[in-house]
Amino acid sequence: MSNITAPGVQQVFQLKSASVSMTALELYYFDNDEFEETLRNKISQAPGFFRDIPLIISLEKYEGLDSELDFFKIIGACRRNSIHVIGVRGGNDDQRRLARGASLALMPGSGQRDKDHETTAEVADAPAAPAPQTAKEAAPAKIISQPVRSGQQVHAPEGDLVILAPVQAGAEVLAAGSIHVYGPLRGRALAGIHGSESARIFCQSLEAELVSIAGHYKISEDLQNNGWKSAVQIQLRDDLLVVAPLDKA
């Protein structure tokens, strides 16, 4: 049977690259009851943020390397709390085999075990050193001049995001780099969504529902005692989000 599409007939689908913001759960050890209790406590801090999010299980700091990890229990606990586990990052060969058996996607890790494995494979397979490449230019900032209204999402997948207007409650802005809001920030702002810990968030008035840099987040209750409704910058220091007035940053 021919698979050529007839003139005037629309294709069934197209495959396109996509950049999606995801949350990683760094697993240190696993106990089923303790895992679900901790998960519920985290969700209670920001229920709107966690509802129906895609989740990656990171095993790069997992200590139970010799124990079989029951991914079906992890998936079940997450589904009971409206979180969808879609893949596993890192881990040893046995853990990745178990993850595959649970129909989870396998993603390369950034830990030293994965780097050593990848380096060994590259040395064995590479016939010669690659030619030097020209330095890649930084991605230009995405600039938005209109207010970001409730229910809207603005995404800068490769660089900074600059918004010359307010971000309303219920809106979401995401960037691979830093986020600059020249107005009140009332919605959710997620900078460094691909893991850039040097990303920052700047705003003229901090009134956010949630801010996040490289997966580390604070909700409005955590922010109201520090720089609330004033011009601030937010950055990551020693795995903690630090809020500072712009005139003292």
Side-chain angles (χ1 to χ4, degrees):
M1 180 180 292
S2 174
N3 60 357
I4 299 176
T5 305
V9 177
Q10 187 175 1
Q11 295 184 48
V12 177
F13 64 84
Q14 289 184 340
L15 295 176
K16 295 185 177 181
S17 62
S19 179
V20 180
S21 173
M22 286 186 289
T23 299
L25 186 153
E26 284 191 340
L27 191 65
Y28 305 130
Y29 67 94
F30 181 70
D31 174 85
N32 191 44
D33 295 335
E34 189 174 351
F35 177 86
E36 187 155 6
E37 181 182 359
T38 304
L39 184 64
R40 287 173 177 168
N41 289 338
K42 288 289 185 183
I43 293 172
S44 67
Q45 298 174 13
F49 174 71
F50 287 104
R51 183 170 183 81
D52 290 328
I53 64 167
L55 188 73
I56 299 296
I57 303 297
S58 174
L59 299 178
E60 294 167 296
K61 298 181 180 179
Y62 185 69
E63 296 179 353
L65 296 178
D66 297 329
S67 62
E68 287 203 351
L69 190 54
D70 194 334
F71 287 104
F72 291 102
K73 288 184 178 179
I74 294 177
I75 294 169
C78 290
R79 284 181 178 173
R80 286 191 292 273
N81 292 277
S82 300
I83 292 177
H84 307 284
V85 181
I86 65 169
V88 168
R89 184 175 68 189
N92 58 32
D93 290 341
D94 287 339
Q95 290 161 351
R96 293 171 75 82
R97 173 181 55 79
L98 293 170
R100 188 183 296 109
S103 299
L104 296 176
L106 302 181
M107 302 181 181
S110 58
Q112 191 60 45
R113 294 193 307 271
D114 298 285
K115 288 180 179 178
D116 291 343
H117 175 75
E118 291 165 4
T119 302
T120 302
E122 290 169 1
V123 171
D125 296 340
Q133 297 180 351
T134 305
K136 184 179 179 180
E137 294 185 2
K142 183 174 184 176
I143 300 176
I144 304 296
S145 58
Q146 300 296 324
V148 185
R149 305 193 183 280
S150 179
Q152 287 185 311
Q153 183 188 79
V154 177
H155 187 201
E158 296 182 353
D160 289 357
L161 176 61
V162 179
I163 300 172
L164 307 176
V167 177
Q168 303 292 5
E172 185 174 73
V173 293
L174 308 95
S178 297
I179 295 175
H180 308 254
V181 180
Y182 292 92
L185 170 57
R186 301 189 179 101
R188 299 187 290 181
L190 292 82
I193 57 174
H194 301 317
S196 174
E197 297 184 352
S198 64
R200 301 190 183 192
I201 297 173
F202 304 86
C203 64
Q204 293 298 310
S205 180
L206 178 62
E207 305 170 40
E209 300 167 353
L210 179 144
V211 294
S212 171
I213 297 177
H216 301 265
Y217 69 91
K218 283 180 179 274
I219 58 175
S220 60
E221 288 82 354
D222 301 324
L223 299 169
Q224 291 180 14
N225 296 325
N226 190 5
W228 192 249
K229 293 191 175 181
S230 61
V232 300
Q233 73 157 316
I234 304 169
Q235 59 184 308
L236 192 60
R237 293 179 185 168
D238 298 325
D239 290 336
L240 295 174
L241 289 185
V242 178
V243 181
L246 278 178
D247 57 355
K248 297 181 181 179

